[in-house]
Every structure is written in C-alpha cells, then in structure tokens.
Amino acid sequence: MKSKLTLLSTVLLTALLLSFTIKNEIGQCYISFKTSTNLTVAGPNRLPETSEKVRTVKTENGEVEVTRIDGYRVLYYNDKKAPFVNLKVELSESKAYDKDKRNSLDNLKFLNSHSQNMESKDLIELDFNGYKVYGFSRATIETGSTLGTFVMFPGNGVTVYFYFNNMKPEYRNFENVDDYKKQRDRFMDEYTKHLKTCEAKR
C-alpha cells in the first residue's frame, strides 16, 4: 500500500511540474528588457481583460483571425522623448498558435506588397541570437508613420511584434535610412540577447 501511495505521489508531482513547464503564458522575460542602447523604456501596459480575444487581419486570401488571449505593450523612447520602438507581446490560444503564426506572416506579406517605398518585395528574414525574425521595412525615412514591422515566434503560444516608428525630423534619433536600419537591428539584437539570457536563468 505504501509503495502504491509513493508511486501515486510521484506521478502527481511529475504532472504538476510538467504543467508548470508547458504553461501557456507570457513570461516576464518578454516584457522586462530595460537596457536598450540610447532608449528609455516605459512600464509595460497589459491588454485589458475586456479586450476581444480574436482580431482580424488582412491577407491576399481575405480576412483571417488571430487569437490574442493576453498581451502587453512596451514603449521605448529616444533622447527626445519620442517613442521609437513599440513592442507588443501577445499570447495565442494553445491550439491556434500554428495557425496564428501563418496568418500573421500572411498579413505581413499582404501589407508589404500593398505598401510603397519598401526595402524588399519579399519579407525580410533576420537571425538574432538563435531567434528568427520576419518583417518588412521602408527604403526611405521620408514617408510612412511606421518604418518597420517585424514579428518573432519564440514558442509557447507567444508572438513578439516590433514596430519601429517614424517621426518628424526634429524628433528623430536617426539621420537616414541606413542609420534607422542600424538602430532597428541593434534593438532586436539586444532584445533577443536579453531574452536568451533571461530564459536560461529560469
């Protein structure tokens, strides 16, 4: 009887540990990056509980849905107090994550193909510290309110969006498109480095 109780306890403990390991949530690592070069971070804002759990995005095949059961927004300001980076971290329903990833990428492809003055006809693929990032970017800083939009799928239902804002010349912290791209890539490199280091400590 004692051996059966011990076995049952072991099974329950293992199940409990596994449930914590594969828990579908947005970890603190995704919203705790504070050491971006030349940028000051504001505190993360959580998506209100009353927000819609599904949003609609456009693709070449029409409108599709992306689930969003939780989310945060974190803004990073330059030395002129203008928001250069708008970081969004969203959580998909577990069963919908793969479909959400496809729909998000299809939406980026649609936006890229229907916008002017873009850096590339196809989505840009970048690698930072073991994380693959997809997105599009403008070939000039003279048009558009958003210069670049990128997305990353680190797993466990989490999607990270990077929005790089354009602004009036007097509020910019970049002088030309090459300078913007350098700062854009540096931010994503530093963010993913933080994420990798933070996850390794958990």
Side-chain angles (χ1 to χ4, degrees):
M1 181 70 178
K2 188 176 181 181
S3 62
K4 287 184 178 180
L5 285 174
T6 303
L7 178 62
L8 182 61
S9 297
T10 304
V11 170
L12 288 173
L13 182 60
T14 303
L16 184 63
L17 289 172
L18 283 173
S19 70
F20 279 113
T21 304
I22 60 175
K23 193 173 182 180
N24 193 230
E25 65 178 4
I26 296 175
Q28 281 296 310
C29 291
Y30 295 106
I31 56 174
S32 60
F33 176 51
K34 299 178 180 179
T35 55
S36 175
T37 301
N38 298 329
L39 296 176
T40 303
V41 61
N45 290 317
R46 193 170 192 175
L47 199 68
E49 290 186 11
T50 54
S51 298
E52 294 290 336
K53 303 307 179 186
V54 175
R55 58 189 179 88
T56 303
V57 298
K58 292 182 178 180
T59 73
E60 293 293 354
N61 296 316
E63 294 188 344
V64 295
E65 293 182 342
V66 175
T67 65
R68 181 182 57 183
I69 60 175
D70 197 5
Y72 290 86
R73 182 182 74 167
V74 187
L75 295 176
Y76 293 82
Y77 292 83
N78 64 17
D79 57 1
K80 298 174 183 177
K81 298 183 179 181
F84 176 52
V85 184
N86 180 1
L87 178 78
K88 291 186 179 180
V89 185
E90 297 184 353
L91 184 66
S92 293
E93 292 180 1
S94 297
K95 295 179 181 179
Y97 189 43
D98 287 338
K99 188 175 181 180
D100 285 349
K101 288 192 287 185
R102 291 194 301 271
N103 288 344
S104 294
L105 288 175
D106 286 344
N107 173 239
L108 290 186
K109 291 174 183 176
F110 174 84
L111 294 174
N112 186 53
S113 64
H114 290 270
S115 300
Q116 296 181 337
N117 302 313
M118 305 309 287
E119 183 179 327
S120 170
K121 290 183 179 180
D122 300 315
L123 288 187
I124 301 166
E125 294 186 19
L126 301 170
D127 288 287
F128 297 104
N129 304 298
Y131 295 94
K132 188 172 283 292
V133 181
Y134 308 87
F136 58 82
S137 205
R138 294 190 186 275
T140 175
I141 62 172
E142 302 308 321
T143 60
S145 59
T146 303
L147 290 176
T149 301
F150 290 82
V151 65
M152 182 176 79
F153 307 105
N156 296 324
V158 175
T159 301
V160 180
Y161 296 91
F162 305 90
Y163 299 96
F164 296 94
N165 296 326
N166 200 357
M167 53 203 80
K168 294 180 180 179
E170 60 267 31
Y171 295 110
R172 287 176 184 156
N173 59 340
F174 44 86
E175 297 180 358
N176 51 52
V177 70
D178 289 331
D179 189 18
Y180 146 69
K181 287 166 63 176
K182 180 180 178 181
Q183 294 187 43
R184 175 199 78 188
D185 291 356
R186 181 174 63 198
F187 180 87
M188 290 190 285
D189 179 55
E190 292 177 345
Y191 177 84
T192 52
K193 192 174 293 181
H194 156 79
L195 189 58
K196 188 174 184 179
T197 302
C198 183
E199 290 289 341
K201 294 178 180 178
R202 294 182 68 183

